Amino acid sequence: MSDLFRLFNTSASALTAQSVRLNTVASNLANASTAASTPEAAYKSKQVLFQTVLDQEDPDGVAMPVRVAGIVDADAEPFPSYEPNHPQANNDGYVFRPAINVVEEMANMMSASRSYEANLQVMDTTRQLLQKTLQVGQS
């Protein structure tokens, strides 16, 4: 029975992590076309770093929770775009846009969404198993 609770805990941690990932992708997509007058001021895409958490009570690593270890800026440099009429244009007429690949971000969003859905299904199945276990115990 404690294995089912550990599994519940692992899925819950994965849901939280995927939720952070979805929010980060949404932020990247929302800022994909923003402009800045300097490369330093341009938005940098964010990436979520995950880390598994070793459970001392689970030496076999059957149910290893995951946590968000951090959110880091991507290394890609913003690209200059010549737009002299843009309100953010510098003295040379350039604005700097973030190096965000919208197609990659959409694929990342679909992956996070599917992982989220899979963990919801695991939690639902675990809940059903716990209910059946309680019903057998009452008989």
Side-chain angles (χ1 to χ4, degrees), residues 27-74:
S27 178
N28 289 343
L29 288 171
N31 288 291
S33 62
T34 59
S37 56
T38 65
E40 297 79 23
Y43 179 83
K44 290 194 181 264
S45 69
K46 314 283 187 231
Q47 301 299 319
V48 180
L49 300 177
F50 297 120
Q51 181 178 39
T52 55
V53 180
L54 181 62
D55 186 352
Q56 299 298 329
E57 297 175 17
D58 185 16
D60 298 329
V62 174
M64 294 180 68
V66 64
R67 72 177 181 94
V68 174
I71 298 174
V72 296
D73 289 341

Side-chain angles (χ1 to χ4, degrees), residues 69 86 98:
H86 194 284

Side-chain angles (χ1 to χ4, degrees), residues 2-113:
S2 67
D3 285 343
L4 289 177
F5 285 119
R6 267 194 238 132
L7 189 58
F8 220 36
N9 188 29
T10 299
S11 290
S13 71
L15 284 174
T16 301
Q18 293 304 327
S19 179
V20 170
R21 182 177 170 201
L22 282 167
N23 286 332
T24 303
V25 169
S27 178
N28 289 343
L29 288 171
N31 288 291
S33 62
T34 59
S37 56
T38 65
E40 297 79 23
Y43 179 83
K44 290 194 181 264
S45 69
K46 314 283 187 231
Q47 301 299 319
V48 180
L49 300 177
F50 297 120
Q51 181 178 39
T52 55
V53 180
L54 181 62
D55 186 352
Q56 299 298 329
E57 297 175 17
D58 185 16
D60 298 329
V62 174
M64 294 180 68
V66 64
R67 72 177 181 94
V68 174
I71 298 174
V72 296
D73 289 341
D75 292 334
E77 292 294 322
F79 63 92
S81 176
Y82 185 69
E83 300 175 39
N85 295 329
H86 194 284
Q88 293 286 329
N90 63 15
N91 292 338
D92 297 327
Y94 285 93
V95 294
F96 295 87
R97 300 203 182 267
I100 295 175
N101 185 328
V102 175
V103 174
E104 285 180 15
E105 293 296 330
M106 291 299 290
N108 197 5
M109 183 187 314
M110 288 177 11
S111 172
S113 179

